[in-house]
């Protein structure tokens, strides 16, 4: 289903996707929950509230914030954001920033590491599937809004260097599920490797940046079989498009 990585990287990935970690037990190939970021059902249900997902997304995108700062961005009361921050903190999805703020104006941040909704336990449960859909739907809304804002206003509001550095890219191909899984793992691992270089930096000229990546089957497409080959125009396979402000 979905993986929502930490404040530096974000996206959707398959269950065996990005951030491959050291095996929890040598030789088993399994990873511990703290390494994969997999949520249990109770934590997922606690997150599955539209305002809580928005709060978590804002902390991921913009970094630490106060309840009043989040309220201003979301058009909510600081009482509402403060309450939902405490609920998220109860399940270790957010935490207070050490040494910053006061008792009246506390600062909050995302917990480090990924958040993953890929466990078989969640998918077996109707409640888990329902909560997962709500969370992913809210994540998708935020990503789509950020991309829309960039495409609509980026060329007018950003320096030329930012527009030249940005890209919106789509590729089309015909793949097996195994090939798609391998591609997704390699791409997300590559993104994670590059972003790890800059984790925690504070340098002039930096600003929030989002890297979006999706790799998925087209649902109204037809799966190829040996008995019934799917007609396809060769020139369409591998077709790519790039759009953006540059």
């Amino acid at each position: 289903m979905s993986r929502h990585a930490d404040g530096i990287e974000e996206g959707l990935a398959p269950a065996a996707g990005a951030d491959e970690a050291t095996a929890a037990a040598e030789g088993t190939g399994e990873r511990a929950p703290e390494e994969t970021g997999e949520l249990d059902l109770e934590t997922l249900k606690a997150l599955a509230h539209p305002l809580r997902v928005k709060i978590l997304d804002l902390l991921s995108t913009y970094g630490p914030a106060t309840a009043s700062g989040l309220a201003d961005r979301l058009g909510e009361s600081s009482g509402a954001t403060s309450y939902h921050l405490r609920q998220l903190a109860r399940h270790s999805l957010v935490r207070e920033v050490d040494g910053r703020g006061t008792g009246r104006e506390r600062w909050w941040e995302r917990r480090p590491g990924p958040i993953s909704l890929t466990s078989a336990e969640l998918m077996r449960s109707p409640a888990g599937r329902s909560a997962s859909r709500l969370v992913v739907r809210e994540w998708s809304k935020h990503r789509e809004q950020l991309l829309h804002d960039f495409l609509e206003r980026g060329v007018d509001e950003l320096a030329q260097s930012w527009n030249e550095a940005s890209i919106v890219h789509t590729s089309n191909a015909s793949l097996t599920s195994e090939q798609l899984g391998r591609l997704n793992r390699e791409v997300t691992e590559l993104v994670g490797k590059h972003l790890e270089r800059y984790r925690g930096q504070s340098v002039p000229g930096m600003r929030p940046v989002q890297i979006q990546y999706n790799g998925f089957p087209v649902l109204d497409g037809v799966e190829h079989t040996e008995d019934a080959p799917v007609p396809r125009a060769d020139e369409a396979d591998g077709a790519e498009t790039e759009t953006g402000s540059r």
Side-chain angles (χ1 to χ4, degrees):
M1 274 286 292
S2 171
R3 173 180 294 261
H4 184 280
D6 62 22
I8 295 178
E9 51 183 342
E10 175 181 351
L12 297 176
D19 299 321
E20 290 293 330
T22 304
E26 186 173 352
T28 66
E30 297 179 353
R31 293 177 291 163
E34 60 269 21
E35 295 174 327
T36 64
E38 290 184 355
L39 302 187
D40 59 33
L41 182 57
E42 289 307 309
T43 302
L44 175 59
K45 288 165 64 177
L47 176 59
H49 182 288
L51 185 53
R52 294 178 193 175
V53 179
K54 291 175 183 176
I55 288 172
L56 198 64
D57 244 350
L58 289 180
L59 294 177
S60 295
T61 303
Y62 301 105
T66 63
S68 58
L70 291 167
D72 289 342
R73 279 190 176 274
L74 293 168
E76 299 282 345
S77 70
S78 59
T81 54
S82 180
Y83 168 77
H84 288 295
L85 281 164
R86 292 195 301 271
Q87 299 308 306
L88 291 169
R90 284 182 58 193
H91 293 273
S92 300
L93 293 167
V94 304
R95 64 187 185 184
E96 287 191 57
V97 180
D98 290 335
R100 189 172 182 182
T102 66
R104 292 176 59 88
E105 190 76 321
R106 293 183 288 180
W107 285 77
W108 299 87
E109 64 182 358
R110 262 282 315 271
R111 76 176 191 193
I115 292 177
S116 175
L117 310 183
T118 61
S119 74
E121 176 189 359
L122 293 180
M123 294 304 100
R124 281 195 298 265
S125 162
R129 292 195 297 271
S130 176
S132 293
R133 282 193 290 267
L134 185 150
V135 172
V136 172
R137 184 165 60 246
E138 292 299 324
W139 282 344
S140 296
K141 287 179 183 177
H142 186 231
R143 279 191 298 276
E144 290 167 5
Q145 186 61 55
L146 292 178
L147 178 58
H148 175 270
D149 290 346
F150 168 70
L151 294 176
E152 288 293 312
R153 298 167 18 221
V155 70
D156 297 319
E157 299 182 14
L158 294 172
Q160 183 178 353
S161 60
W162 282 107
N163 284 297
E164 291 176 347
S166 303
I167 187 172
V168 179
H169 178 92
T170 299
S171 296
N172 295 280
S174 297
L175 303 173
T176 66
S177 59
E178 292 81 5
Q179 292 166 343
L180 177 60
R182 186 183 309 116
L183 172 64
N184 285 334
R185 286 192 294 274
E186 292 178 358
V187 170
T188 50
E189 287 167 6
L190 179 63
V191 171
K193 178 181 177 181
H194 278 271
L195 295 185
E196 188 62 34
R197 301 175 185 175
Y198 312 116
R199 195 178 302 277
Q201 74 171 352
S202 179
V203 297
M206 62 180 282
R207 65 180 297 148
V209 169
Q210 186 167 105
I211 294 90
Q212 300 186 7
Y213 174 77
N214 303 291
F216 57 92
V218 178
L219 288 185
D220 63 354
V222 180
E223 186 167 331
H224 173 91
T225 65
E226 291 185 2
D227 295 334
V230 179
R232 175 181 55 77
D234 289 340
E235 61 270 19
D237 194 37
E240 300 182 355
T241 59
E242 289 185 8
T243 61
S245 299
R246 55 177 182 165

